[in-house]
Amino acid sequence: MSYAGPDFEPPQPRRTRRGLMTVALAALVPGALLGWLVYETVGGPGDGGGTDGASARASASTAPASPTEDGKQPESSPVPTGTRTSAPAASGPLKGKVVVIDPGHNPGNFRHTGEINRQVDIGTNRKECDTTGTSTDDGYTEAKFTLDVAHRMRALLEEQGATVKLTQDADRPFGPCVDERARIGNEAKADAVVSVHADGSGAGNRGFHVILPGSVRAGAADTRAIVAPSRDLGERVAGRFVAVTGSAPADYIGDGTGLVTRKDLGGLNLSTVPKVFVECGNMRDSKDAALLTSGAWRQKAAQGISEGIVSFLRG
């Protein structure tokens, strides 16, 4: 997700020293230290399919990820969610558990700027419904990336017996808005919700981070009950993400821990179930883009996130 978007008004980015990153990571996600050390040694996985930072910049607001339904949706007529709830395996360690995957941004958002720019209540204040998301310099969109990872996660979690629901599957013209994304997880009584994103920070900034809900009590928002379980979920996801992908925590936010707490995100503020956001990498950095555009690496990302969810749900 680009930090220019409505659901992101981040603190001033800061670079941290490599030594501090390693210490903080070891404290928070000790099980993943080996993956981080491998990253340091070999410079991270490089399985092809990437883009070059010198390529012409393509805006996510003008380049759709895939064909979607056109035509504006009247604001007075709610857009149906219509996303498929999975048929889980007959048995497995997650039988009876419900997981909601929230693929950030809809591939059709760029066609509906009026609708996604309308203000919605996020508890603490009002923000735009959604954004178009970001993209790599070569035009691979965040919306396409998040759906691909979400599909891979769904398959992995279904194999474990979980019931999986997506907040959107490119099955609606735009959205859902950030408040509806939270509502979908709440109404599903999800045991865990993960919102999948990719960042749009400056070139040279690298790595992933997991965003945790801060303690908020304002208007319709009250996150106090989910802060602790969401942190547990986020730490497990971060640990497995490092171990499986070999990627490093972000070097520009989170003080090298890979964890960031936020109070300004509607998708977290309005959630009543454990929920985190995962920014899998920075699409505007050529080295991260090479990973994000690789199908093999996306499978690793999906596996790492899914293993974190499994670990959280099994306790």
Side-chain angles (χ1 to χ4, degrees):
M1 174 180 288
S2 171
Y3 278 138
D7 218 17
F8 276 74
E9 294 173 1
Q12 182 67 31
R14 52 186 296 186
R15 286 189 175 273
T16 57
R17 296 172 57 186
R18 183 79 62 179
L20 290 177
M21 288 172 60
T22 304
V23 171
L25 178 61
L28 282 172
V29 286
L33 183 57
L34 178 59
W36 170 224
L37 293 174
V38 170
Y39 179 92
E40 283 289 274
T41 303
V42 303
D47 39 17
T51 58
D52 189 339
S55 302
R57 185 174 302 272
S59 170
S61 63
T62 59
S66 59
T68 59
E69 179 182 349
D70 205 354
K72 292 189 175 181
Q73 182 74 19
E75 206 166 298
S76 59
S77 302
V79 183
T81 54
T83 51
R84 177 179 72 84
T85 299
S86 71
S91 63
L94 298 189
K95 184 174 177 58
K97 299 294 186 180
V98 177
V99 177
V100 171
I101 304 172
D102 179 29
H105 315 291
N106 183 314
N109 277 358
F110 80 102
R111 295 192 180 99
H112 298 275
T113 55
E115 289 89 340
I116 67 171
N117 284 332
R118 70 181 179 85
Q119 299 280 305
V120 298
D121 182 10
I122 67 165
T124 53
N125 59 305
R126 297 182 68 83
K127 283 191 173 182
E128 289 85 352
C129 160
D130 201 3
T131 71
T132 58
T134 189
S135 72
T136 66
D137 288 346
D138 280 350
Y140 179 65
T141 64
E142 182 183 2
K144 185 173 182 179
F145 169 83
T146 63
L147 272 178
D148 182 86
V149 173
H151 291 161
R152 295 169 188 267
M153 288 175 58
R154 180 171 62 189
L156 291 167
L157 292 167
E158 285 176 351
E159 289 176 358
Q160 298 290 313
T163 297
V164 182
K165 183 178 180 65
L166 271 59
T167 59
Q168 61 91 13
D169 199 1
D171 52 358
R172 51 189 291 163
F174 64 90
C177 297
V178 294
D179 58 338
E180 185 182 352
R181 289 174 184 269
R183 190 159 57 249
I184 291 169
N186 297 344
E187 291 177 352
K189 295 181 171 55
D191 296 287
V193 183
V194 173
S195 189
V196 181
H197 289 271
D199 201 7
S201 185
N205 292 337
R206 294 202 63 192
F208 79 93
H209 62 281
V210 178
I211 303 175
L212 315 173
S215 183
V216 173
R217 187 185 184 190
D222 187 351
T223 64
R224 292 174 296 173
I226 68 164
V227 167
S230 295
R231 172 167 283 275
D232 185 21
L233 171 62
E235 289 178 351
R236 292 172 188 260
V237 167
R240 295 311 303 160
F241 196 90
V242 170
V244 176
T245 67
S247 292
D251 60 9
Y252 60 98
I253 190 171
D255 292 329
T257 66
L259 301 173
V260 178
T261 299
R262 300 282 295 276
K263 297 182 179 181
D264 61 327
L265 308 183
L268 295 180
N269 286 358
L270 299 176
S271 182
T272 59
V273 294
K275 182 174 182 178
V276 298
F277 282 44
V278 182
E279 296 280 358
C280 296
N282 177 22
M283 288 195 134
R284 294 301 191 182
D285 176 80
S286 61
K287 292 181 179 179
D288 270 11
L291 302 178
L292 297 166
T293 54
S294 162
W297 188 88
R298 291 195 299 273
Q299 184 64 30
K300 293 179 183 179
Q303 181 181 340
I305 298 170
S306 298
E307 286 185 7
I309 294 171
V310 172
S311 173
F312 170 73
L313 294 180
R314 298 190 69 183

